[in-house]
């Protein structure tokens, strides 16, 4: 088995066995990574890479939005609105080729990623 196949198998096994909290953290980690790479690609005028990364980030935002139970807690509707705002900003950033708009989205989402990571660690510690 090749190194690529082993890595893909490991990643798939990690996703299949992760707790819901860990899966959420993994999604946020990938989202932030895509935003950083998209922002860097826009600065480098690599439109194809920027488009790929920003589109993938939009897919993650959509997944986060549709999986959010807005009845679960009082802050959920606000989080849903934030996801809608970020999605609109990413579409606009991709069209206008604005790394600044991507950076703005990243600065909104990084604290959420960090909070979910802390919650995941706390839940695992039990």
């Amino acid at each position: 088995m090749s190194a690529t196949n082993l890595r893909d198998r490991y990643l798939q096994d990690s996703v299949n066995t992760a707790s819901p909290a860990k899966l959420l953290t993994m999604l946020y980690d990938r989202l932030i990574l895509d935003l950083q790479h998209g922002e860097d690609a826009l600065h480098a005028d690599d439109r194809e890479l920027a488009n790929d990364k920003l589109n993938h980030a939009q897919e993650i935002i959509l997944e986060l939005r549709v999986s959010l139970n807005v009845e679960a807690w009082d802050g959920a509707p606000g989080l849903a609105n934030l996801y809608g705002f970020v999605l609109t900003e990413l579409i606009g950033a991709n069209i206008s080729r604005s790394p600044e708009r991507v950076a703005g989205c990243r600065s909104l989402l990084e604290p959420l990623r960090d909070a979910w990571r802390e919650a995941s660690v706390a839940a695992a510690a039990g």
Side-chain angles (χ1 to χ4, degrees), residues 4-122:
T4 301
N5 289 343
L6 287 172
R7 186 195 74 223
D8 290 345
R9 172 107 187 247
Y10 173 79
L11 290 173
Q12 188 60 48
D13 288 348
S14 296
V15 169
N16 290 338
T17 60
S19 69
K22 181 65 176 168
L23 284 173
L24 185 59
T25 302
M26 292 166 77
L27 273 175
Y28 267 96
D29 285 342
R30 180 56 194 258
L31 173 59
I32 299 302
L33 183 65
D34 283 341
L35 293 176
Q36 183 62 58
H37 288 168
E39 183 182 340
D40 292 345
L42 286 171
H43 280 297
D45 202 31
D46 186 341
R47 295 176 185 167
E48 185 176 343
L49 180 61
N51 184 58
D52 287 346
K53 295 302 179 181
L54 295 179
N55 282 336
H56 191 252
Q58 290 168 43
E59 290 172 13
I60 294 172
I61 291 291
L62 286 170
E63 182 61 34
L64 290 168
R65 175 58 187 97
V66 299
S67 64
L68 178 63
N69 179 355
V70 293
E71 305 297 322
W73 57 289
D74 291 344
L79 185 56
N81 288 337
L82 177 66
Y83 289 153
F85 171 77
V86 169
L87 184 61
T88 301
E89 279 298 291
L90 291 178
I91 291 168
N94 205 3
I95 291 169
S96 66
R97 299 183 187 104
S98 172
E100 295 80 15
R101 288 175 81 174
V102 177
C105 291
R106 193 167 43 81
S107 71
L108 288 172
L109 295 169
E110 284 175 335
L112 286 173
R113 187 247 346 244
D114 296 343
W116 285 117
R117 181 177 290 134
E118 288 177 22
S120 177
V121 169

